[in-house]
Amino acid sequence: MAGIELTPEQVKLVQEPNFGALATVMPDGSPQVTILWVDYRDGLIWVNTQQGRAKPRNMDRDPRVALTIWDRDDPYERMHVRGRVVETTTEGAADHIRWLNNKYHGNDNYPLAPDAVRVIYKIEPEHVTS
């Protein structure tokens, strides 16, 4: 299935400092949900995580995800996305998490552990409702 383009209102929801809830699939088929920061670039929703956690293991094994992003001032204004991870990279991921920290907290002082490996997962929206 080809990705779909978000509407200007949906793009705004992702570009503002609104939180998302990302659902991934555990090895036994059960859902796993994590609240996280989101970004939107080049038609893809970007999420940033650290290697070794459940969500990257799940997305590496099964790229299907669901994501809800809601307005921080009115959670009834929201967007639901089903899609799949189409790209994964560690390149620029440490800078990206600092950029996200600035988006959500107004500074780029994200406390990176010395041995932490950050990863960007790029999600192609396949079905979107809002």
Side-chain angles (χ1 to χ4, degrees), residues 48-50 53 92-99 101 108-119:
N48 189 312
T49 189
Q50 184 174 310
R53 295 180 176 166
D95 289 335
H96 183 248
I97 196 65
R98 286 189 282 271
W99 182 89
N101 197 77
D108 60 2
N109 298 326
Y110 188 84
L112 284 170
D115 60 343
V117 177
R118 301 299 306 188
V119 186

Side-chain angles (χ1 to χ4, degrees), residues 44-76:
L44 303 174
I45 297 172
W46 291 22
V47 297
N48 189 312
T49 189
Q50 184 174 310
Q51 280 184 352
R53 295 180 176 166
K55 63 182 167 289
R57 286 193 308 269
N58 291 343
M59 290 185 289
D60 289 343
R61 189 190 65 264
D62 186 338
R64 296 174 301 160
V65 298
L67 181 66
T68 297
I69 302 165
W70 61 92
D71 186 294
R72 66 195 176 282
D73 297 321
D74 181 3
Y76 292 105

